[in-house]
Amino acid sequence: MTDDRKPMIECRGVHKHYGDYHALRGIDLTIRAGEFFSLLGPSGCGKTTLLRTIAGFEDISDGAILIDEKRMDEVPANKRPTNMVFQSYAIFPHLTVAQNVAFGLRRDPRGKAEKAALVEEALAMVGLRGYGNRAAHALSGGQRQRVALARALILKPKVLLLDEPLSALDRKMREQMQVELIKLQRQVGITFVLVTHDQEEALVMSDRIAVMFEGEIAQLDGPEALYARPATRRVADFIGVMNFLPARILGEQAGTATVEVPGLGVVDLPERQISRANPDDEGPTIGFRPETMTLVGPTQTHSQPRETNATIDEVVYYGDMTYYDLRLDGAAAMDGKARPVRISMRNVFGRDVQEVGTRTRLAWSPGSLVLFR
Amino acid sequence: MAKGLDAQAKQGYALIAPPFLYALVILAAPLLTILTYSFLTDGYLEVVRDFTVSNYVQVWTDPIVRTVMLRSLMVSALVTLVTVLLAFPVAYYVSFLVRPERKSLWLFLITIPFWTSYLIRVFLWKVILGYNGVINSSLTGLGIIDEPLTFILYNVNSIVITLAHAYAPFAILPIFVALEKIDRALLEAGRDLGESRAMTFWRVTLPLAMPGVLAAVLIVFIPTIGDYVTPELIGGGKIPMIANLIQVQMLALDNRPLGSALAVTAMAIVALVSVVFLLINRRFLKVRS
Amino acid sequence: MKGQGRGLQAYALLYLLFLYAPIILLPLFAFNSGTIIAFPLQGFTTNWFAQMWANATLRTALTNSLTIAVSASILATCLGVFAARASTRFEFPGKGGMMGFILLPMVLPEIIVAMSLLVVLLGAGVQLSILTVILGHVLICMPYAIAILSTAFSSLDKSLEEAAYDLGETKWSAFRLVTLPLVMPGIVSSLLISFTISLDEFIIAFFLAGNQPTLPTYIFSQLRFPKQIPMIMALGTVLVALSILLLALGEYFRRRGNARMGGNPTGGFL
């Protein structure tokens, strides 16, 4: 898929040092106009620093940042075409909701009535119609966030920056706001850049995601590609759950590889299933997601090309799902260590939860495997 | 390199410069002058620029100076002990037994007297404790005593009572803050693990409140050792403390080098006591973390 | 539990009585017609207040004290704003040491501050006046101002100022529109507390005022004359009433500030 939308944010070799600490190590990144883009990573990976350099709150030590094709080196935060939704929302507690939303319009030459109409429109957009006269400090977390959104969007910025905007909300509220943010972004068409440490949130909301570790971008991809074909073991481990098994490479030609995996046998993998960026240096490893394999009963039939016998070691019941930890037959063949494998099964009507110790069959397809080498 | 840090540091220095320079000129320069004077020789109406340690020799050997020094230390220690002991139960009461919404009222009531004229408060203690004072006249009036009590006036006891009154909030507040910080679940845990209420207090509450108690000790001890007014008014000038001695040497006798040596010695003693208590406090804080 | 609580409560009330004993006596003697400060009380009079009102020296002392207290509290609060902002918002090498030094007067015996300053001023040939008292008072008020202002500044979310900046304000207008209104209650309390400390300060005023009277030095000089004591009691009554009024105002502003920030009104002055 090619994207011909014009670049909105470009980072070229961006470095950031704090004394001896190297927070950003050469970030190269292009975010396109109208994209919902996420910076995802564990705390301390530099994602918030990157967001704050785009906003202009932090100087960069080296490299360049361009917004809408203009270099931002000498442009301070208050002159950049970006606005921010802060993690704490930063709602001014001494002002009303309407005064908060109108804050950025102070230098706007338009008349009072016109501004009031804009405020009302912005409040309506985030579902807070009629809240204008409320005191800001009396709002709930979700309402604060809506005010923060309205306050930033009323200025019609080219880019909206969101710093972990959902982390302070409870689970239900968070899921609701995720959907609302997606709708809002489609409605206004502004480029959104979201910082989050929650992989699920990034997968749900983003067009593209940059996964960051230690000040570097480890992978930049769409959600499906990121989930199905993680570039490194570390990315795979950070996003969702992935099983890892050691593998032995039997032969390689023209990008494809033939590998032997204890417990799974010999498989041929096409190029798209091979990740060559494996800095973890643990030797060739096969990875697969828990939901890509299926437990089948002794008399059940299935349409998968391969099956493996296994014993159930542990059962974890989640209501809608059940997780099974399995010991594959022959799993210890390579180095004497039998690594457990986690499989998830949806608890559909008519399917019983299996018990610990049960012998079972595992049906799978080589298409669900990823080789890290 | 480190552009962000430098910019931040520069702004920080620019902001702190005015108050810091003010303290440098109005506090550090005078203190250094005193320190210098203390090593110079006293001439008639002037300070002679001859280096000497004789001022310190005199401070440490003169029996009058020694008496006054020891008295100051003893009075301060006594005041500190009395003030902190009297204050602890009050802090405990406010922290543990007063309802949360009433706590700030109690703290307000405790701090108000502190903000009213110090001189008048000190003088009124003289009125209360005096020969024909409130206590004596009431007691004689009620026929409980025939002769006015004299052990409460113009002596160390009256100085201690007056100072204990003056520095009460200084003792209560740090202890209160330390008690407030104690997680109430710890006390329940102590009880749950089979300790009696008294033993829980002894083994859990008191050790955790210790940083506050030590802070209170320091915060009462330091100003009382330098108190000038109370010995002057209550003691009737007959039982001088170190501050009075410094004033006499500096102004009345115009012996600035000796006065400076006294001041430096007093500061050194205060600093020494503070360091000792801060070290003890560090031990308690270590236990805590 | 109940018994322990009762005992402690009785003790706490007795302790309050001990704290308030002098203050309770003050108005009693101020309105007592007897010229000797002793029980039993004689009769009711407001003469002492009239005498106080007519006293010219006292008026000079009051004017001096007010001049000193107003100047010192404004200067100490201004310097305090700088220090509090530096210490709560910025990291730089040597910060702890510099802040500790600025706060030093809080733990230094006042006699030493007064004496060392006096020696330097006399050595430099500076004429002692209320100006020199202001210099000293700013020094001792500053730590209290900083303590109050630091609390106000540190309870402020750093993002608030950034948000204002992000929304197009300059650094200075962000400070003026957001930070200043939010720390204003702290500034008012700092002014009130500094004013109260300066108004009541004796030692520095005693040594640095030259021959200018201030309220405390005037009171001190009059305490030697039994004849003047009833008038001093009247003066004390007025001062105590004034202090309580100022403190109540300070507390009111502090709480209003807290309520505005959505916090809960607990804590005290120190």
Side-chain angles (χ1 to χ4, degrees), chain A residues 165-313:
Chain A
L166 305 175
S167 62
L169 304 178
D170 62 39
R171 197 189 162 89
K172 270 234 165 80
M173 193 69 197
R174 197 158 62 223
E175 283 168 5
Q176 187 192 334
M177 282 310 295
Q178 284 173 1
V179 178
E180 284 194 33
L181 270 177
I182 299 170
K183 281 189 190 155
L184 192 64
Q185 198 261 341
R186 280 192 202 132
Q187 187 189 334
V188 296
I190 291 172
T191 311
F192 276 32
V193 182
L194 173 88
V195 157
T196 181
H197 64 270
D198 183 339
Q199 42 99 13
E200 205 179 287
E201 189 171 296
L203 293 178
V204 168
M205 303 213 285
S206 326
D207 297 326
R208 286 194 305 155
I209 299 166
V211 182
M212 292 180 68
F213 295 117
E214 269 111 43
E216 291 177 341
I217 295 179
Q219 187 173 3
L220 201 172
D221 252 320
E224 291 105 305
L226 203 61
Y227 189 79
R229 288 181 301 282
T232 67
R233 271 193 66 161
R234 200 161 173 201
V235 172
D237 213 17
F238 189 72
I239 293 174
V241 181
M242 191 166 243
N243 293 294
F244 295 109
L245 293 173
R248 188 183 313 143
I249 297 177
L250 301 175
E252 277 183 282
Q253 53 184 168
T256 65
T258 306
V259 294
E260 185 189 357
V261 186
L264 296 180
V266 175
V267 280
D268 288 320
L269 296 176
E271 185 163 20
R272 62 190 293 267
Q273 279 169 257
I274 301 172
S275 162
R276 291 175 194 280
N278 187 18
D280 306 331
D281 200 28
E282 290 189 26
T285 307
I286 281 290
F288 61 93
R289 301 282 184 195
E291 68 278 8
T292 58
M293 297 194 177
T294 323
L295 289 186
V296 282
T299 57
Q300 229 176 319
T301 56
H302 62 85
S303 55
Q304 298 287 346
R306 305 282 287 262
E307 68 172 63
T308 302
N309 290 322
T311 311
I312 298 177
D313 269 356

Side-chain angles (χ1 to χ4, degrees), chain C:
Chain C
M1 184 67 209
K2 270 273 176 287
Q4 183 208 15
R6 288 269 164 70
L8 268 175
Q9 187 177 31
Y11 174 78
L13 290 172
L14 263 175
Y15 193 89
L16 274 189
L17 186 68
F18 165 64
L19 283 183
Y20 280 85
I23 296 172
I24 295 166
L25 290 178
L26 205 48
L28 291 184
F29 291 122
F31 290 105
N32 177 26
S33 59
T35 49
I36 300 165
I37 303 300
F39 284 107
L41 299 173
Q42 307 289 313
F44 181 84
T45 178
T46 52
N47 280 351
W48 312 124
F49 289 90
Q51 191 184 334
M52 175 186 85
W53 193 247
N55 188 318
T57 323
L58 179 58
R59 209 167 285 173
T60 317
L62 179 68
T63 317
N64 284 343
S65 269
L66 287 178
T67 314
I68 294 168
V70 168
S71 322
S73 55
I74 291 174
L75 283 171
T77 303
C78 287
L79 290 171
V81 168
F82 280 96
R85 193 168 156 81
S87 85
T88 52
R89 186 55 60 86
F90 298 99
E91 286 307 324
F92 48 92
K95 183 172 106 174
M98 289 167 106
M99 283 307 291
F101 178 66
I102 296 172
L103 295 175
L104 188 64
M106 221 173 196
V107 293
L108 212 56
E110 254 176 50
I111 185 83
I112 288 175
V113 176
M115 277 300 149
S116 54
L117 200 49
L118 177 67
V119 166
V120 170
L121 289 172
L122 290 180
V126 176
Q127 184 75 39
L128 295 181
S129 65
I130 59 174
L131 210 67
T132 45
V133 180
I134 294 174
L135 285 181
H137 278 188
V138 171
L139 186 74
I140 57 159
C141 290
M142 201 160 59
Y144 290 92
I146 292 172
I148 294 164
L149 291 166
S150 292
T151 322
F153 273 104
S154 65
S155 61
L156 210 61
D157 179 2
K158 193 183 168 192
S159 318
L160 288 173
E161 221 171 284
E162 281 183 350
Y165 189 52
D166 184 58
L167 292 168
E169 296 297 338
T170 62
K171 290 220 160 130
W172 163 244
S173 66
F175 180 79
R176 185 169 60 83
L177 291 171
V178 174
T179 311
L180 212 54
L182 290 174
V183 296
M184 195 40 90
I187 290 179
V188 172
S189 325
S190 161
L191 284 171
L192 286 174
I193 298 275
S194 301
F195 181 87
T196 317
I197 291 173
S198 170
L199 198 66
D200 191 35
E201 203 286 333
F202 168 71
I203 303 224
I204 288 174
F206 188 55
F207 292 118
L208 296 186
N211 51 12
Q212 289 286 332
T214 70
L215 272 185
T217 56
Y218 176 74
I219 292 171
F220 186 75
S221 68
Q222 297 307 300
L223 288 176
R224 268 175 292 165
F225 308 114
K227 197 164 68 82
Q228 299 283 27
I229 303 287
M231 185 195 75
I232 296 296
M233 295 294 115
L235 176 61
T237 309
V238 173
L239 286 179
V240 166
L242 211 70
S243 299
I244 292 175
L245 188 73
L246 282 182
L247 286 172
L249 266 178
E251 180 72 5
Y252 169 77
F253 274 108
R254 208 180 57 77
R255 281 177 188 224
R256 213 179 65 163
N258 267 349
R260 194 189 269 184
M261 299 287 286
N264 51 336
T266 50
F269 273 105
L270 288 174

Side-chain angles (χ1 to χ4, degrees), chain B residues 129-287:
Chain B
L129 302 170
Y131 194 78
N132 290 317
V134 176
I135 292 182
N136 276 331
S137 54
S138 326
L139 290 180
T140 23
L142 292 168
I144 297 171
I145 50 171
D146 303 325
E147 285 287 298
L149 303 170
T150 51
F151 72 92
I152 47 176
L153 186 64
Y154 297 126
N155 60 21
V156 170
N157 292 339
S158 50
I159 292 183
V160 171
I161 293 175
T162 308
L163 286 173
H165 177 263
Y167 289 97
F170 283 100
I172 293 177
L173 288 176
I175 301 175
F176 170 78
V177 170
L179 288 172
E180 280 292 279
K181 278 191 195 151
I182 297 175
D183 183 354
R184 300 307 195 247
L186 289 174
L187 307 182
E188 285 167 5
R191 300 272 289 151
D192 182 58
L193 293 170
E195 287 291 17
S196 69
R197 199 172 289 283
M199 281 311 282
T200 305
F201 175 82
W202 182 249
R203 288 183 60 186
V204 182
T205 314
L206 201 56
L208 289 175
M210 230 30 211
V213 173
L214 290 171
V217 165
L218 267 187
I219 237 165
V220 175
F221 180 82
I222 292 171
T224 47
I225 201 166
D227 192 75
Y228 174 85
V229 176
T230 308
E232 199 71 13
L233 277 179
I234 294 274
K238 277 168 268 175
I239 30 178
M241 302 222 316
I242 187 69
N244 312 78
L245 203 59
I246 294 173
Q247 186 260 334
V248 166
Q249 286 301 335
M250 285 277 200
L251 298 180
L253 302 179
D254 201 29
N255 186 343
R256 294 208 185 130
L258 187 60
S260 300
L262 275 171
V264 172
T265 310
M267 269 194 289
I269 292 174
V270 169
L272 191 73
V273 174
S274 310
V275 167
V276 168
F277 272 96
L278 287 179
L279 286 179
I280 302 176
N281 201 4
R282 184 168 291 181
R283 276 200 44 164
F284 275 104
L285 287 179
K286 215 177 263 172
V287 170

